[in-house]
């Protein structure tokens, strides 16, 4: 069964510095990979996804993620963090040819310090 | 505006008193799902529905029921709530293709005393 690991509970970064949120996954075969963001008192919002092709995926709000098949990772990145990026970030994986189940990681709290 | 609407946003109830959390989407999506979010556990799927009249269990279905009689609605029913069902619940929908992202509602915070 597919699973996701987000090893850090919280990521602290100074405003203007690069932001990285780590994600590794386990799945049979090739994956579909997603990142979502959750702001306080809101539902999750889709940021970006990897389907196939270019390993660097660009998404909303200046975020991007790099798919690395050999390391089974899909780390989320932003070159220059904003205070408004402070939120909870979830990585999720789905099997390409299996069940339609989307497995989420436990989430990473990102705190951007002014 | 395209959206997933959940009601109520907050609910406090007592053990054993049946409750329903409603979910409606206006995007003509085939796929709908319920998740619960608990600290340190991320989101866990309760039930999902691939289409009208088709529902299936997710990872944590015990104590919950769902129905999908219409495409737009997917209510979550707790026949006899217990304190371990205190959680934040999210409804989500998507067009149904495997690579389609989910659209989430704003959540229902349930407390069972």
């Amino acid at each position: 069964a597919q699973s996701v690991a987000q090893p850090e509970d919280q990521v602290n970064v100074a405003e203007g510095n690069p932001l990285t949120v780590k994600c590794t996954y386990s799945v049979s075969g090739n994956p579909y990979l997603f990142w979502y963001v959750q702001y306080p008192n809101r539902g999750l919002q889709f940021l970006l996804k990897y389907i196939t092709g270019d390993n660097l995926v660009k998404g909303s709000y200046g975020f991007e993620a790099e798919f690395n098949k050999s390391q089974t990772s899909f780390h989320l990145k932003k070159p220059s963090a904003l205070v408004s990026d402070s939120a909870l970030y979830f990585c999720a994986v789905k099997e390409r040819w299996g069940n339609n189940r989307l497995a989420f990681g436990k989430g990473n709290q990102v705190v951007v310090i002014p | 505006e395209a959206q997933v609407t959940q009601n109520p946003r907050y609910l406090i109830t007592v053990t054993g008193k049946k409750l329903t959390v409603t979910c409606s989407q206006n995007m003509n999506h085939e796929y709908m799902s319920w998740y619960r979010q608990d600290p340190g556990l991320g989101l866990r799927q309760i039930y999902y529905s691939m289409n009208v009249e088709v529902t299936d269990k997710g990872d944590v279905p015990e104590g919950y029921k769902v129905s999908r009689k219409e495409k737009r609605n997917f209510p979550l029913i707790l026949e006899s709530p217990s304190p371990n069902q205190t959680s934040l619940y999210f409804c989500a929908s998507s067009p149904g293709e495997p690579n389609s992202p989910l659209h989430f509602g704003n959540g229902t915070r349930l407390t069972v005393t």
Side-chain angles (χ1 to χ4, degrees):
Chain A
Q2 56 269 54
S3 65
V4 171
Q6 295 183 244
E8 301 161 313
D9 289 333
Q10 182 164 312
V11 175
N12 296 326
V13 61
E15 187 176 24
N17 281 4
L19 168 63
T20 298
V21 188
K22 295 180 180 177
C23 169
T24 58
Y25 66 90
S26 173
V27 69
S28 299
N30 294 317
Y32 292 126
L33 292 156
F34 304 82
W35 275 102
Y36 291 85
V37 60
Q38 184 182 27
Y39 299 102
N41 298 316
R42 301 295 301 273
L44 280 70
Q45 298 177 29
F46 169 71
L47 272 181
L48 51 80
K49 65 180 178 181
Y50 171 78
I51 301 174
T52 188
D54 194 349
N55 289 343
L56 185 63
V57 178
K58 295 188 182 296
S60 307
Y61 312 121
F63 283 94
E64 58 188 27
E66 186 165 12
F67 171 64
N68 188 316
K69 188 172 183 177
S70 63
Q71 296 185 7
T72 62
S73 68
F74 190 55
H75 301 331
L76 181 70
K77 300 179 181 181
K78 186 171 183 179
S80 178
L82 302 172
V83 172
S84 58
D85 293 328
S86 298
L88 190 57
Y89 291 81
F90 289 94
C91 182
V93 66
K94 185 185 291 188
E95 290 182 348
R96 189 176 291 263
W97 299 114
N99 57 55
N100 203 22
R101 175 177 172 266
L102 183 65
F104 284 87
K106 63 181 173 62
N108 281 124
Q109 184 68 49
V110 169
V111 177
V112 181
I113 303 162
Chain B
E1 179 188 355
Q3 59 186 357
V4 178
T5 303
Q6 291 179 233
N7 281 297
R9 289 294 307 275
Y10 301 92
L11 181 57
I12 301 174
T13 190
V14 297
T15 299
K17 186 175 182 180
K18 181 180 178 179
L19 66 91
T20 299
V21 183
T22 63
C23 174
S24 180
Q25 50 92 5
N26 62 2
M27 296 168 280
N28 201 37
H29 283 170
E30 303 283 339
Y31 179 89
M32 297 186 75
S33 182
W34 277 102
Y35 292 86
R36 59 178 290 173
Q37 182 180 6
D38 301 289
L41 297 176
L43 273 76
R44 294 179 291 169
Q45 190 177 47
I46 302 170
Y47 270 93
Y48 65 94
S49 169
M50 301 292 290
N51 210 330
V52 175
E53 301 293 359
V54 179
T55 65
D56 210 343
K57 297 177 181 179
D59 299 318
V60 288
E62 295 78 19
Y64 304 95
K65 287 175 57 177
V66 293
S67 68
R68 187 91 183 273
K69 296 177 182 176
E70 308 166 277
K71 197 175 208 179
R72 62 183 293 125
N73 295 323
F74 191 46
L76 179 69
I77 303 157
L78 284 71
E79 295 271 3
S80 183
S82 62
N84 65 12
Q85 293 177 298
T86 292
S87 187
L88 180 58
Y89 291 86
F90 288 101
C91 181
S93 72
S94 82
E97 289 83 16
N99 61 22
S100 299
L102 290 170
H103 298 252
F104 283 83
N106 282 330
T108 295
R109 186 166 292 280
L110 172 65
T111 302
V112 184
T113 61

